[in-house]
Amino acid sequence: MDCARCRSEAIVDRPYAGDHLCQTHLGQTVFDRVRREMHRQAPKFTRGTVAVALSGGKDSAVTLAMTQRYFARRPTVRLVAITVDEGIAGYRSKTVESARALTDRLGVPHTVVRARDAIGTTTDEAAQRLPGIAPCSFCGVWRRRLLNTAAREASADLLVLGFNLDDLAQTVLMNLARAEVGRLLRMSPHRSRQPGLVPRVAPLATIPEREVYLYAQGTGIPFDHGECPHAGAAERNVFREVVWRLEESRPGTRHALLRTREAIAELLEAQGGSGAPGVCGVCGEASARPVCRACVYRREAGRAVMGLGTSGAT
Ligand code: SF4
Ligand SMILES: [Zn+2]
Ligand SMILES: [Zn+2]
């Protein structure tokens, strides 16, 4: 099959767009979509510090490379990369290595925040202590917390996350299925400033995971292919399957889920419901509940809550 824009061989089909693209034109549309999302999510951002969350996997690696390209002509924008090491044996150390290789190549300052140092425990340790809870529950909460605190400590005005279209469509569906309307409003990308949180943007929001992967493969960006040993227990897996099936039978469903979130958010905001969080009574960080989930999980994992304030947000 030929590319829809030239005569080269296509490497990806895009049923939702009704075309096929070669590597060159995939790269072009990836950057076009990143640019559009950056304009939309962070309009008129021309100076300040931008922190990019870098796990070392394909999504965050592409996000860092694209963010650097997007701001290439803006010497007034400073870029930093932040990696959270949650303490997952046999997995995270390799992704941290890939993250280092990429930041060295791009010349981007890189900070690694270790959960062990910042919150006194690790995902592996908590998984042992809390066998009844899927590890992604506390791991994700702690990572968001650590990213936010590290971005704030770097004086970041923006926190760039590597969520792709599939990730976000799954999150929308998960929140709808749980009737978590508040979370639908607060999920990334942020629609408005939320007190205590560095505004989050997700420039890959309209790019399917498969296209991110093919783009990363084709350009030789260093990234780690490994999968977290805890991923199998994630509740998200069911939603991944459902979204994939829906997209297969009705191409464009993922984009529609994102539009659904926007439509609901606009309705709620028009009624005065901003979804803005309050403050955790224990650590003082942004939280929609009296005690944030980072503190709850940490307490459940049998750790003292003291010292959490230096490290992060829900
Ligand atoms: S898959 Fe789950 S446990 Fe593993 S790093 Fe991601 S959130 Fe953490
Ligand atoms: Zn082409
Ligand atoms: Zn707290």
Side-chain angles (χ1 to χ4, degrees):
M1 188 70 75
D2 283 352
C3 172
R5 302 187 189 184
C6 72
R7 290 191 168 176
S8 306
E9 192 184 343
I11 61 156
V12 63
D13 64 322
R14 306 193 306 163
Y16 64 90
D19 67 13
H20 295 75
L21 294 177
C22 68
Q23 183 72 46
T24 304
H25 284 110
L26 172 65
Q28 208 172 75
T29 68
V30 165
F31 186 61
D32 286 348
R33 283 175 280 180
V34 163
R35 191 163 43 196
R36 207 175 308 136
E37 283 305 305
M38 279 293 206
H39 277 308
R40 199 177 69 82
Q41 296 176 30
K44 300 193 179 109
F45 189 90
T46 54
R47 61 178 61 240
T49 298
V50 174
V52 179
L54 179 66
S55 70
K58 65 181 187 319
D59 300 297
S60 62
V62 169
T63 300
L64 179 62
M66 286 282 142
T67 304
Q68 187 182 50
R69 185 172 161 196
Y70 178 76
F71 288 116
R73 284 194 232 151
R74 296 264 180 215
T76 45
V77 172
R78 184 174 76 101
L79 208 59
V80 298
I82 300 168
T83 300
V84 174
D85 179 349
E86 305 93 340
I88 302 171
Y91 167 66
R92 190 48 89 205
S93 56
K94 292 182 196 156
T95 71
V96 172
E97 265 177 43
S98 294
R100 281 233 181 280
L102 180 62
T103 51
D104 284 352
R105 182 191 284 194
L106 299 178
V108 174
H110 184 207
T111 301
V112 179
V113 182
R114 295 200 158 73
R116 161 71 67 211
D117 304 333
I119 59 172
T121 189
T122 65
T123 291
D124 277 352
E125 200 172 84
Q128 282 198 331
R129 288 168 182 245
L130 304 170
I133 302 177
C136 296
S137 309
F138 44 81
C139 182
V141 166
W142 287 336
R143 183 174 52 244
R144 285 193 292 279
R145 166 62 57 90
L146 296 175
L147 279 172
N148 188 64
T149 312
R152 206 168 54 204
E153 284 170 0
S155 305
D157 304 287
L158 215 55
L159 176 57
V160 185
L161 303 175
F163 294 131
N164 59 47
L165 174 62
D166 293 71
D167 296 329
L168 293 174
Q170 290 154 20
T171 304
V172 171
L173 199 59
M174 280 169 79
N175 286 329
L176 287 172
R178 295 171 177 156
E180 296 267 20
V181 180
R183 279 205 212 173
L184 206 56
L185 280 175
R186 293 191 302 273
M187 67 178 269
S188 304
H190 285 170
R191 290 175 48 86
S192 57
R193 273 192 173 269
Q194 298 178 22
L197 298 181
V198 178
R200 296 173 196 157
V201 297
L204 306 187
T206 58
I207 308 176
E209 178 171 13
R210 185 170 155 69
E211 290 174 44
V212 177
Y213 174 75
L214 289 170
Y215 174 77
Q217 278 281 54
T219 49
I221 290 175
F223 71 92
D224 190 84
H225 295 250
E227 191 182 4
C228 173
H230 301 297
E235 193 191 347
R236 177 175 288 273
N237 293 336
V238 176
F239 290 89
R240 178 176 292 117
E241 175 80 19
V242 170
V243 168
W244 185 77
R245 285 186 182 214
L246 285 169
E247 182 69 30
E248 205 178 34
S249 62
R250 295 179 61 89
T253 298
R254 291 169 297 185
H255 293 84
L257 281 165
L258 258 58
R259 290 198 301 276
T260 300
R261 181 241 178 176
E262 293 292 317
I264 293 174
E266 275 166 27
L267 279 175
L268 289 171
E269 281 164 8
Q271 291 173 9
S274 69
V279 166
C280 169
V282 176
C283 68
E285 293 287 342
S287 172
R289 308 170 185 207
V291 177
C292 76
R293 291 196 301 153
C295 285
V296 169
Y297 282 133
R298 196 172 175 213
R299 194 153 55 194
E300 283 181 15
R303 293 280 161 178
V305 172
M306 277 165 46
L308 193 63
T310 56
S311 359
T314 26

